[in-house]
Amino acid sequence: HSFNEGTLYNGNMDVRGIWHTCTNGVNNGCRKSAYGQEILPPIMSGKVTTHAAITYGRVNVRARVPKGAFLWPAIWLLPRDNHYGNWPRSGEIDLMETKGNAWTSEWGGDHGIRSIGSTLHWGPDAGHNCFQKTHGEKYLNQPDGWHGWHTYSLDWTRNHLSILVDNQEIYRLTTPGNGMYNYCPYHNIEDPWRNGPHNAPFDQPFHLLLNVAVGGTSGFFAEGQYDVPKSWRNDSPHPMRDFWEHRGEWLKTWHGDDVAMLIDYVEMIQY
């Protein structure tokens, strides 16, 4: 099935209609229409989610992250069952996120390809996600930064979560004895983990996700300075159109398979 410029501005994207199956309906992922001033998503990418899930153990992913402006690769884990409720109540474990940009200047530092971040997301609701307390970064001062082969790992027990790259620790949480609710701490909000153990929500089966996203309005690409101008505002009514119509700026930083996340192997070893 071919999408062209006309489809982008006036068409529909019906995944089930074209390929007879759709594996992820989140954010209208199975069916979208160009509407008003906004266009269809102009970039096709991919995400792999494992059927396998583990509770406690070691995860190793040997990968080469992509480079190219506004690429957003991620190696992460999500709860299989959402035992404690919808995101972020049941947690999220991000081994690696980065931006494919050669450099950025936001939040007072360079968060481009030379910087990788590891984060735990958790909270009673999306407005009270305490991820800032459980975040670490590692900087690699080379021209291509982390755009090379590295091994991203998680070492996970009842008492700690350690996230590593090439066996060097990026971030470590020693699970608080009095629970994650008190670690933030929250006030006047119901504790979603009150019936769970001290390390809840990180006591349940999680499965692994590998994906490359592009742009987005979540705030991951903040309003800041970039090697290539950021052509969309996160509050724009038509961010995808703004991005696409400035492709003359960012597309020249995308070179062949350099924009792909390459995976050598994945290991998930239950303790």
Side-chain angles (χ1 to χ4, degrees), residues 25 31 46 57 59 66 79 82 101-102 113 117 127 157 193 210 233 253 266:
R31 189 182 175 88
V59 176
N82 275 351
N101 298 68
I113 194 70
T157 72
W193 314 298
L210 308 166
R233 291 191 56 85
T253 70
V266 169

Side-chain angles (χ1 to χ4, degrees), residues 81-97:
D81 307 321
N82 275 351
H83 179 79
Y84 296 104
N86 290 335
W87 190 90
R89 291 168 75 101
S90 295
E92 173 183 322
I93 304 168
D94 298 341
L95 272 59
M96 186 290 308
E97 289 180 289

Side-chain angles (χ1 to χ4, degrees), residues 107-251:
W107 314 119
D110 179 359
H111 293 277
I113 194 70
R114 291 185 179 94
S115 175
I116 49 173
S118 301
T119 314
L120 305 178
H121 292 267
W122 48 287
D125 57 66
H128 297 89
N129 177 354
C130 210
F131 71 93
Q132 297 95 333
K133 283 204 83 158
T134 49
H135 174 77
E137 294 177 12
K138 204 161 187 67
Y139 197 78
L140 186 59
N141 197 9
Q142 295 176 2
D144 277 347
W146 292 101
H147 174 67
W149 286 98
H150 298 281
T151 303
Y152 301 94
S153 302
L154 169 67
D155 169 47
W156 174 24
T157 72
R158 281 176 178 76
N159 296 314
H160 71 257
L161 291 98
S162 171
I163 302 173
L164 312 100
V165 59
D166 302 329
N167 277 322
Q168 302 288 307
E169 200 162 71
I170 308 170
Y171 173 73
R172 182 185 192 91
L173 171 71
T174 300
T175 321
N178 62 348
M180 297 300 290
Y181 183 87
N182 296 302
Y183 187 66
C184 194
Y186 296 105
H187 302 289
N188 305 321
I189 302 174
E190 186 184 56
D191 178 359
W193 314 298
R194 64 193 174 279
N195 296 321
H198 74 103
N199 60 334
F202 301 107
D203 66 316
Q204 296 291 317
F206 278 68
H207 53 194
L208 181 71
L209 292 86
L210 308 166
N211 72 276
V212 177
V214 181
T217 56
S218 67
F220 187 72
F221 290 96
E223 313 301 352
Q225 297 296 307
Y226 295 83
D227 57 325
V228 170
K230 178 173 177 279
S231 56
W232 76 98
R233 291 191 56 85
N234 291 337
D235 59 1
S236 167
H238 39 72
M240 291 187 288
R241 177 178 160 178
D242 298 340
F243 178 68
W244 178 245
E245 291 179 353
H246 287 83
R247 61 191 178 279
E249 295 166 358
W250 51 261
L251 195 52

